Amino acid sequence: MTKLLIDGIEVDVPADYTVLQACEAAGAEIPRFCFHERLSIAGNCRMCLVEVKGGPPKPQASCAIGVRDLRPGPNGEPPVVLTKSPMVKKAREGVMEFLLINHPLDCPICDQGGECDLQDQAMAFGADTSRYAENKRAVEDKYIGPLVKTSMNRCIQCTRCVRFTTEVAGASDLGAIGRGEDMEITTYLEQAMASELQSNVVDLCPVGALTSKPYQNKARPWELSKTESIDVMDAVGSAIRVDSRGKEVMRILPRLNEAVNEEWISDKTRHVADGLKTQRLDRPYLRENGRLRPASWTEAFAAIVDKVKAVAPDRIGAIAGDLAAVEEMFALKALVVSLGSTNLDARQDGSVLHPKFGRASYTLNAGIAGIEEATSLLIIGANPRREAPILNARIRKRWLRGDFKVSVVGEQADLTYTYDYLGAGPETLSDFVKSAEAKGGKPMVLVGQGALARQDGAAVLSLAAKTAQALGAVTAEWNGFGVIHTAASRVGALDLGFVPGEGGKDVAAMLQPGALDVLFLLGADEIEVPAGAFVIYQGTHGDKGAHRADVILPGAAYTEKSGTYVNTEGRVQMGDRATFPPGDAREDWAILRALSAVLGKTLPFDSLAGLRKALYEAHPHFAALDVLAVNDTAGLGDLAGLGGQTDRSGFVSPVTDFYQTNPIARASAVMAECSALASGRMRQAAE
């Protein structure tokens, strides 16, 4: 630790701190444009100037000086730093005046207005007049894709965007050309940016040079209601803020959560908002003579009751979709069980994960932040860049620190970091296990759904558990075995036991022609339901499930209800309601509660609080929000001993199109444009 005297306040900070960080530890406010805690230091905006006693007789850029480099006083006194001296005030005013020489000052029409660092710091640290009257520099706006709008006249060359795309996203999309007055930030050939994290540059840009293109001229920040929630576009469970105006979600922004997403979110998470209002189901529908017609809730429920009461309990089944919250899955399971059926499943993709082997067999046990502690990584049957971009960015962050070997069994894809490609399928994994040996440290094994949603998925899962044991990834101090999920609802469903009961059918069996007479689909849109069964679809969009339905019950999207979700690491999180469902749509648990009463199987709760009380009594761990539980590893040993026959086909990631993975994304025009661009890039690469 190093002692400093900052504005008369003595602080003791780590020796690897910069002077800027030390000043903030002392409570001093230091303006900055180029410095960011998660990016490398550039030191090119010069706004963070401070005065250092005993140093050169000029202001110093505090972001670029380490506290260990400061000279003590003549008698060994702690170094003295001043952040409010006349020298510092004059220097900062000069820097701000210099930055505003070419800035167009178009605050009234800028989407960054009200959230602009340049506005705030010009007010706090700038002068009230400028001495420059010359013409301002003009820069042509660049096309860099459908998500980020450029207004490069505003750019102050802080290079935050360049450093983010290079260091965090791992795609050298942006860079600088020219020197001095001619310097410009661009994609060189003015092509669209390719990273799945590209829109984070909008949050990083301090001046409004890069703004959100889909949000352009839509709203001002002070008009919006801000609601903290959880993302469901993948299983990472990123912390988000939903900004709404009236009944409409205007934009989605990241929230800080060091344990999960830090302060980044994927482009799908951020820009899926327009899909929340397109192709929505806003009233019940009933199929008559082969066509769906609008109906009342009473009519829809009556049709369901007539059908359910006319069939045997074992001819009734239920499938939960990828975006379902824990509350409605709990209610649906209770309803179906009360009808006498055990045909339940939430694994639309046919995954073999099952709660009977314990929670450690289907979660990322070390946690997402635990990736930074790992000493090596083996990825089996996953493409984390497409399946979980935020998790992939965390892997890259660890890889950049060095001494971190990554190996892959499965697809040979660009993951933004180098890796050893071992092979394509189970045979490679089997050979790897034979030669694997524990070398100490904290090895990690991540298994994707591309390895588990197969006919031989159980054998592959057993082989993966055996691999983790052979590498020493499962010990008393460290559990490096983990599963990468692609569905936000999956871990919560497994925790609930939303899997076939004794004698019950799984998804594959329920979808066999003639297997069932009545099938409940709770937002299940990734499956093909054969003709014959009476399908009750409860969901939000007119997607695949609604097209097949005989009765449609309109539900609430994730921004329109308070719901519990469990992410891929087993962390229980809760999202709050930002807006209300459209038209006659209702929250999903409430629909199931009303339907249970009509069916004569009334569920034992009539409020969300009552449902959660019953949920917590049956499954106490759901009450522990934002906690990463330590899972018992005994089940992994049983799993490793199962064995089984594997086939020769290679592992293929289930996510072929990152932008089209669920009904909300498929309803989004922005995601459709991104998908078309990505498909074009893939065709060019193949050619």
Side-chain angles (χ1 to χ4, degrees):
M1 303 292 279
T2 305
K3 280 188 170 56
L4 287 88
L5 204 62
I6 299 174
D7 292 338
I9 300 171
E10 186 174 293
V11 293
D12 203 5
V13 298
D16 58 353
Y17 264 34
T18 63
V19 172
L20 187 151
Q21 291 171 305
C23 290
E24 296 208 323
E29 183 180 359
I30 305 295
R32 83 292 296 271
F33 292 116
C34 68
F35 177 80
H36 192 277
E37 290 79 359
R38 302 188 197 280
L39 304 176
S40 61
I41 293 171
N44 55 9
C45 78
R46 319 310 285 181
M47 195 64 205
C48 63
L49 296 173
V50 297
E51 183 179 354
V52 179
K53 291 292 185 183
K58 62 179 182 178
Q60 305 288 303
S62 60
C63 72
I65 307 174
V67 295
R68 62 161 63 94
D69 299 325
L70 298 182
R71 292 168 57 187
N75 300 313
E77 303 96 333
V80 176
V81 177
L82 301 176
T83 69
K84 300 175 183 176
S85 68
M87 177 197 288
V88 172
K89 184 175 185 296
K90 183 178 179 182
R92 288 177 180 168
E93 287 179 354
V95 170
M96 180 59 70
E97 186 177 20
F98 182 73
L99 289 174
L100 294 177
I101 290 174
N102 284 313
H103 194 77
L105 307 178
D106 48 10
C107 304
I109 61 164
C110 177
D111 275 334
Q112 201 90 318
E115 298 173 316
C116 179
D117 291 346
L118 187 64
Q119 275 185 335
D120 296 340
Q121 293 182 35
M123 286 293 294
F125 303 102
D128 57 353
T129 57
S130 174
R131 292 168 291 175
Y132 289 91
E134 288 78 13
N135 291 330
K136 293 179 182 288
R137 180 185 75 147
V139 181
E140 185 179 347
D141 293 341
K142 310 292 191 295
Y143 171 78
I144 60 173
L147 303 180
V148 181
K149 178 183 182 296
T150 61
S151 299
M152 302 314 289
N153 286 334
R154 305 170 189 161
C155 181
I156 61 170
Q157 285 91 39
C158 71
T159 68
R160 278 186 181 182
C161 55
V162 176
R163 284 174 285 147
F164 172 82
T165 55
T166 304
E167 296 166 13
V168 179
S172 300
D173 286 331
L174 289 175
I177 59 173
R179 292 172 64 89
E181 188 183 29
D182 297 323
M183 181 177 174
E184 297 181 23
I185 305 296
T186 178
T187 55
Y188 304 115
L189 300 177
E190 296 198 26
Q191 293 180 332
M193 296 169 71
S195 171
E196 296 81 7
L197 301 172
Q198 61 181 275
S199 294
N200 288 289
V201 300
V202 172
D203 297 331
L204 290 171
C205 183
V207 298
L210 303 175
T211 53
S212 173
K213 191 174 282 188
Y215 178 68
Q216 183 182 355
N217 301 331
K218 292 286 179 66
R220 288 297 198 182
W222 53 85
E223 300 177 286
L224 305 176
S225 299
K226 300 166 180 65
T227 308
E228 294 187 352
S229 192
I230 300 298
D231 173 51
V232 299
M233 292 297 109
D234 54 31
V236 171
S238 300
I240 59 172
R241 193 187 84 195
V242 181
D243 287 1
S244 57
R245 184 176 60 192
K247 293 184 177 181
E248 186 177 355
V249 173
M250 303 303 296
R251 64 177 180 178
I252 296 171
L253 298 176
R255 282 190 296 123
L256 183 66
N257 188 338
E258 295 288 355
V260 181
N261 61 305
E262 298 181 298
E263 59 188 85
W264 320 123
I265 54 174
S266 72
D267 295 335
K268 183 166 54 176
T269 298
R270 185 186 299 265
H271 291 297
V272 80
D274 67 318
L276 290 166
K277 57 186 177 183
T278 308
Q279 295 184 337
R280 287 301 300 271
L281 301 172
D282 59 358
R283 61 189 302 175
Y285 287 85
L286 196 58
R287 189 176 297 277
E288 286 185 356
N289 301 320
R291 297 178 66 86
L292 289 168
R293 69 164 179 86
S296 66
W297 282 102
T298 304
E299 286 180 293
F301 282 175
I304 295 170
V305 170
D306 290 344
K307 198 69 180 179
V308 168
K309 291 190 173 179
V311 303
D314 64 349
R315 303 286 293 176
I316 299 172
I319 300 174
D322 293 348
L323 307 184
V326 168
E327 286 83 355
E328 54 252 32
M329 289 191 289
F330 178 72
L332 179 58
K333 181 183 178 184
L335 176 59
V336 173
V337 169
S338 71
L339 292 172
S341 175
T342 57
N343 302 322
L344 292 163
D345 208 350
R347 303 164 298 180
Q348 286 188 93
D349 56 4
S351 170
V352 297
L353 294 169
H354 198 285
K356 66 185 178 184
F357 295 111
R359 211 162 183 255
S361 68
Y362 59 83
T363 59
L364 203 168
N365 294 280
I368 294 171
I371 292 171
E372 296 190 37
E373 299 179 39
T375 53
S376 64
L377 174 63
L378 172 63
I379 300 173
I380 303 170
N383 182 340
R385 180 174 177 181
R386 282 205 302 253
E387 298 169 25
I390 296 298
L391 187 147
N392 194 64
R394 188 79 75 146
I395 296 173
R396 175 175 168 79
K397 180 180 179 182
R398 173 64 187 90
W399 172 79
L400 283 173
R401 279 182 15 220
D403 193 24
F404 185 60
K405 181 180 178 182
V406 182
S407 305
V408 171
V409 178
E411 288 185 9
Q412 195 168 5
D414 177 10
L415 299 182
T416 72
Y417 41 83
T418 58
Y419 56 83
D420 290 341
Y421 183 66
L422 304 180
E427 287 185 341
T428 301
L429 188 58
S430 182
D431 293 340
F432 180 81
V433 173
K434 294 172 185 175
S435 59
E437 57 182 43
K439 297 181 180 178
K442 294 182 176 180
M444 182 176 276
V445 176
L446 294 183
V447 189
Q449 301 307 305
L452 304 177
R454 302 161 37 113
Q455 292 290 332
D456 62 347
V460 173
L461 181 60
S462 175
L463 197 55
K466 186 183 291 185
T467 304
Q469 288 186 331
L471 290 172
V474 182
T475 65
E477 296 79 27
W478 170 256
N479 186 351
F481 179 83
V483 175
I484 302 177
H485 288 274
T486 56
S489 67
R490 191 65 52 78
V491 178
L494 294 170
D495 283 351
L496 284 172
F498 203 100
V499 292
E502 188 174 347
K505 297 180 173 67
D506 62 9
V507 166
M510 283 190 269
L511 296 181
Q512 292 297 317
L516 296 177
D517 292 328
V518 175
L519 179 59
F520 285 88
L521 298 182
L522 181 59
D525 290 281
E526 314 304 323
I527 52 177
E528 296 284 351
V529 181
F534 183 83
V535 177
I536 303 156
Y537 176 79
Q538 183 177 326
T540 59
H541 285 72
D543 207 80
K544 190 181 294 184
H547 292 167
R548 173 61 186 84
D550 295 289
V551 176
I552 293 176
L553 306 177
Y558 71 107
T559 57
E560 299 159 1
K561 61 188 175 188
S562 176
T564 303
Y565 300 91
V566 188
N567 75 348
T568 195
E569 56 182 356
R571 186 184 301 272
V572 180
Q573 300 175 296
M574 189 178 292
D576 287 331
R577 180 175 62 197
T579 60
F580 288 91
D584 290 336
R586 296 291 182 266
E587 292 186 41
D588 296 280
W589 73 266
I591 296 172
L592 293 164
R593 168 62 177 77
L595 179 59
S596 71
V598 177
L599 287 167
K601 303 290 184 181
T602 306
L603 296 174
F605 46 80
D606 53 12
S607 67
L608 184 57
L611 186 157
R612 283 180 174 155
K613 182 181 178 183
L615 172 66
Y616 299 159
E617 287 174 356
H619 306 277
H621 76 280
F622 284 117
L625 295 178
D626 206 29
V627 173
L628 189 61
V630 178
N631 299 315
D632 184 8
T633 60
L636 288 177
D638 298 337
L639 186 60
L642 277 182
Q645 188 66 37
T646 58
D647 63 37
R648 300 172 64 88
S649 60
F651 301 136
V652 179
S653 171
V655 179
T656 55
D657 189 340
F658 169 72
Y659 300 100
Q660 303 281 286
T661 55
N662 60 63
I664 303 175
R666 288 191 286 268
S668 166
V670 177
M671 292 296 98
E673 187 174 356
C674 291
S675 174
L677 273 172
S679 298
R681 282 194 294 266
M682 289 175 65
R683 283 196 300 270
Q684 286 180 353
E687 292 170 359

